[in-house]
Each structure stands twice: as structure tokens, then as C-alpha cells.
């Protein structure tokens, strides 16, 4: 347990996730499960529908009871000018998904998506790969590229829909000091033969690739989790390939947030994953 652990007398027992839209967020389920497992019964975790225009006022009104915030789109970059400091990890992709309110009143931004990807891969025994492929080129793709900078020893090929996106991914590669080659989305079937494939695209985008999964696929990291499995992940699993899901990422990045906000290490991975799985199952049953 870290020395930063909150005491029973500490007023800072609030945390929340901000974003727009935010109704679908699983963060409250995960963080509340963590608090229950850790015995932090006087902690609360809420969700707030906050857009970029409303963010400065919300941040400015945070009182001493606040331990931290989770941020989703479209706030991950908009929050940066409102903070006292951001970590090198967050700066590397110009995106903050975690704000920690420190004991001395400072607001520090971090990015737990990047180490969350690394942790999710490590959980499946993947410490290092010789090459990798990324499907897509949005905000999640830059975090995936930053994670690959830690685990991939060779080339990363990004499959994208436009030259503008291709240029962005090459720029991220230069910034993150990892070799990035870009290829058109029309060649995306080639990605499926890579030792590690990270799919960062919206729901339905990779469905057409499912029939092209090779007979002996390696590892697929699909950042989606609802609905699950995606057609690509289902075919991948059917052929015996390893699959890491978006829930794995969501859990591991949330565990790191809990650790930073509460000061308690390690965070309760199993309890948080179980809560997430139950919540997703309930959603699917309700459809």
C-alpha cells in the first residue's frame, strides 16, 4: 500500500468519469467494484455528461473532496491546458484520460490507456513481438502505437483509409521512435498475418475482414467490447488465435486509475473484470 493512501478522515472521496456521450461508460461499474473490494465504502464514483465547453468550469470547481477523474472523448486533449502538469506518457500522445488531484491541490494528467494495453498483452503472455499491424488511425491508434513502442522490436504497419491519416500515423511513429509503414485499407487483409494485430476501428468496420482470418492466426487485440465478440474476434477465436478484448484494456487502464487515485497497489483486477463482464452480459440480455 502506497503512502498516498487516503485515510478515513480524508475528505477526498469523490471520483467520476467525464465525457460526451457518457451514458454507455462502464467506468462507474469498474471503479465502484474496486472500492467495494478495497473496503473504501465512503468513496463514490459518478458519471457526468461534459463537453469541451463545459469542462473548464467543472475542473475549476473541483473541491478538496475530489480524488480524481477519468476522461473519455472528446476531453482527452481539451483538458491538458487546464492541468498543472501532465506525465511524459500523456505528453507522448497529447492525450489525458486520467486526472489525479494530489494532496497539495495540484491536478496531474496521465494516460493509463498506453500501459493498460501493455498490461493486457502481458496478461496473455505477450511481452515482445517482432512486428505488428494496426487497423485504423484514430485517437486509439496513437495510444496503440505508443504501447507498441514498448513491446514491438520491428516494423508496425498501419492500415488506413486516407493519405491524411497515413501521414498522421507516420508522424506519430517518428515522435514515438517506432518504425511505422502505412498501407491502404484495401490491403487490410494482409494485416491478419502479423504476429500481433490491434484493431482500433469503430463497430462493424472489421466485419468484412473476418472471412480472411488465416488458419493459424497469432494474436488479435480488438479494442471494442460492446457488442462482443466482433465478427473478426469470433472467427479469430474459432481458428485458435489468441484474442484480447476491449474489456481487457478497459479493466487494466481503470486498475491503474484506481491505484493512482486511492494510493492502494495493486488494484483489484479480478473484481473489476468480473463486474465489467456481468454488466456487459446484462446489457446484452436486455437487447
Amino acid at each position: 500500500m502506497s503512502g498516498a493512501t487516503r485515510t478515513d478522515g480524508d475528505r477526498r472521496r469523490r471520483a467520476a468519469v467525464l465525457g460526451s456521450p457518457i451514458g454507455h461508460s462502464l467506468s462507474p461499474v469498474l471503479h465502484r467494484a474496486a472500492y467495494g473490494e478495497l473496503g473504501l465504502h465512503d468513496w463514490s464514483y459518478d458519471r457526468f455528461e461534459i463537453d469541451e465547453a463545459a469542462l473548464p468550469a467543472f475542473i475549476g470547481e473541483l473541491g478538496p473532496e475530489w480524488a480524481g477523474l477519468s476522461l473519455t472523448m472528446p476531453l482527452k486533449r481539451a483538458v491538458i491546458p487546464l492541468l498543472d502538469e501532465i506525465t511524459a506518457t500523456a505528453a507522448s500522445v497529447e492525450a489525458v484520460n486520467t486526472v489525479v488531484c494530489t494532496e497539495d491541490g495540484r491536478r496531474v494528467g496521465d494516460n493509463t490507456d498506453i500501459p493498460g494495453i501493455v498490461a493486457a498483452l502481458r496478461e496473455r503472455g505477450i511481452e515482445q513481438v517482432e512486428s505488428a499491424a494496426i487497423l485504423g488511425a484514430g485517437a486509439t491508434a496513437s495510444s496503440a502505437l505508443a504501447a507498441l513502442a514498448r513491446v514491438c522490436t520491428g516494423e508496425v504497419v498501419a492500415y488506413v483509409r486516407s493519405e491524411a491519416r497515413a501521414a498522421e500515423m507516420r508522424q506519430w511513429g517518428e515522435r514515438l521512435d517506432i518504425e511505422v509503414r502505412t498501407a491502404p485499407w484495401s490491403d487490410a487483409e494482409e494485416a491478419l498475418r502479423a504476429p500481433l494485430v490491434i484493431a482500433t476501428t469503430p463497430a462493424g468496420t472489421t466485419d468484412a475482414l473476418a472471412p480472411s482470418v488465416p488458419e493459424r492466426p497469432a494474436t488479435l487485440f480488438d479494442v471494442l467490447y460492446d457488442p462482443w465478440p466482433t465478427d473478426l474476434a469470433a472467427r479469430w477465436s474459432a481458428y485458435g488465435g489468441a484474442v484480447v478484448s476491449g474489456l481487457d484494456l478497459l479493466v487494466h487502464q481503470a486498475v491503474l486509475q484506481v491505484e493512482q487515485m486511492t494510493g492502494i497497489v495493486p488494484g483489484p483486477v479480478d473484481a473489476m473484470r468480473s463486474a465489467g463482464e456481468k454488466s456487459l452480459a446484462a446489457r446484452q440480455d436486455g437487447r
Side-chain angles (χ1 to χ4, degrees):
M1 185 177 295
S2 164
T5 304
R6 313 293 178 188
T7 64
D8 288 341
D10 198 312
R11 293 175 296 171
R12 283 188 281 188
R13 301 187 182 108
R14 292 195 70 185
V17 59
L18 315 181
S20 182
I22 201 62
H24 68 287
S25 176
L26 272 182
S27 292
V29 170
L30 302 181
H31 284 254
R32 291 168 186 169
Y35 298 163
E37 185 72 12
L38 297 172
L40 301 176
H41 303 302
D42 49 2
W43 281 60
S44 66
Y45 189 99
D46 303 300
R47 65 163 63 92
F48 292 93
E49 183 83 17
I50 300 290
D51 60 15
E52 292 168 287
L55 184 61
F58 190 97
I59 295 290
E61 294 171 3
L62 293 177
E65 73 277 12
W66 283 90
L69 301 169
S70 308
L71 301 173
T72 186
M73 299 305 291
L75 306 179
K76 292 185 179 184
R77 290 186 178 169
V79 75
I80 293 176
L82 308 176
L83 304 176
D84 297 299
E85 177 186 351
I86 66 172
T87 65
T89 300
S92 72
V93 291
E94 298 179 358
V96 165
N97 78 325
T98 306
V99 175
V100 176
C101 301
T102 66
E103 297 287 352
D104 59 3
R106 290 172 60 79
R107 294 157 190 158
V108 180
D110 193 14
N111 186 307
T112 62
D113 286 332
I114 295 168
I117 292 171
V118 174
L121 289 170
R122 184 176 295 124
E123 187 176 48
R124 302 302 174 90
I126 301 168
E127 301 278 350
Q128 184 174 292
V129 292
E130 295 181 355
S131 62
I134 295 179
L135 298 173
T140 304
S142 61
S143 291
L145 195 56
L148 287 173
R150 303 183 182 190
V151 301
C152 183
T153 59
E155 181 184 68
V156 175
V157 184
Y159 293 82
V160 300
R161 291 190 180 278
S162 70
E163 179 51 38
R165 290 290 195 178
E168 287 179 6
M169 289 300 285
R170 291 193 294 268
Q171 289 170 0
W172 280 118
E174 292 176 5
R175 179 168 181 166
L176 295 164
D177 195 25
I178 184 170
E179 182 183 357
V180 175
R181 177 169 63 86
T182 56
W185 185 261
S186 57
D187 294 338
E189 292 180 4
E190 298 175 2
L192 308 184
R193 295 192 290 272
L196 171 62
V197 181
I198 303 184
T200 69
T201 53
T205 306
T206 62
D207 289 355
L209 298 176
S212 300
V213 172
E215 290 186 3
R216 296 181 181 179
T219 300
L220 171 68
F221 195 148
D222 195 325
V223 302
L224 296 174
Y225 61 84
D226 186 20
W228 186 262
T230 62
D231 288 357
L232 182 61
R235 179 66 66 94
W236 204 277
S237 294
Y239 280 16
V243 175
V244 186
S245 76
L247 181 60
D248 295 318
L249 167 58
L250 194 64
V251 168
H252 280 286
Q253 65 83 26
V255 167
L256 294 169
Q257 290 181 336
V258 168
E259 291 176 352
Q260 291 190 33
M261 293 178 193
T262 68
I264 301 174
V265 179
V269 177
D270 292 341
M272 295 171 73
R273 189 196 311 278
S274 177
E277 290 173 344
K278 289 178 181 178
S279 180
L280 286 177
R283 287 186 189 182
Q284 293 175 357
D285 288 345
R287 286 176 182 151

